């Protein structure tokens, strides 16, 4: 796997993820706090919200959109996702983890 090429594709896909509350790309808002790709195709990503009080439905939508963008990269085999700085982060992270586990993609 050419990690640089895969990371470029990941960043490109993430550039199309729009914060549902403000209508701007999560990259333009600098919401991705951590992005690491391991040799086995596992992506470890941490994303924060624009505000900790963002409605939980919108926070979950953003989290789902990030995960969906990662899934579109064939070399991404597993995903470790973490939402930061949100009042419902624990519940949203658990829901995303369970969904990824059901698909066999939890890293």
């Amino acid at each position: 796997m050419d990690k640089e090429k895969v990371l470029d594709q990941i960043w490109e896909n993430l550039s199309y993820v729009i914060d549902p509350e403000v209508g701007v790309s999560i990259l333009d808002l600098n919401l991705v706090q951590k992005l690491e790709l391991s040799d086995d195709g596992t992506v470890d990503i941490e994303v924060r919200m624009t505000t900790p009080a963002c409605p939980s439905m919108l926070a979950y939508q953003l989290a789902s959109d990030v995960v969906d963008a990662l899934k579109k990269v064939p070399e991404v085999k597993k995903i470790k996702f973490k939402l930061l700085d949100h009042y419902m982060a624990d519940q949203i992270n658990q829901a995303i983890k369970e969904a990824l586990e059901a698909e066999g993609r939890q890293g």
Side-chain angles (χ1 to χ4, degrees), residues 39-82:
D39 292 334
D40 68 353
T42 300
V43 171
D44 189 354
I45 188 167
E46 295 181 357
V47 178
R48 67 178 174 86
M49 299 302 301
T50 52
T51 173
C54 174
S56 59
M57 184 175 66
L58 295 180
Y60 182 80
Q61 181 63 53
L62 180 91
S64 294
D65 290 349
V66 168
V67 169
D68 288 344
L70 296 173
K71 288 182 196 175
K72 291 178 183 176
V73 180
E75 294 85 357
V76 173
K77 305 301 180 196
K78 299 209 178 265
I79 300 167
K80 293 180 184 178
F81 176 87
K82 186 172 183 181

Side-chain angles (χ1 to χ4, degrees), residues 18-34:
I18 303 300
D19 182 306
E21 190 167 29
V22 296
V24 177
S25 163
I26 63 168
L27 297 187
D28 291 340
L29 294 169
N30 199 30
L31 298 183
V32 177
Q33 301 301 293
K34 174 183 174 184

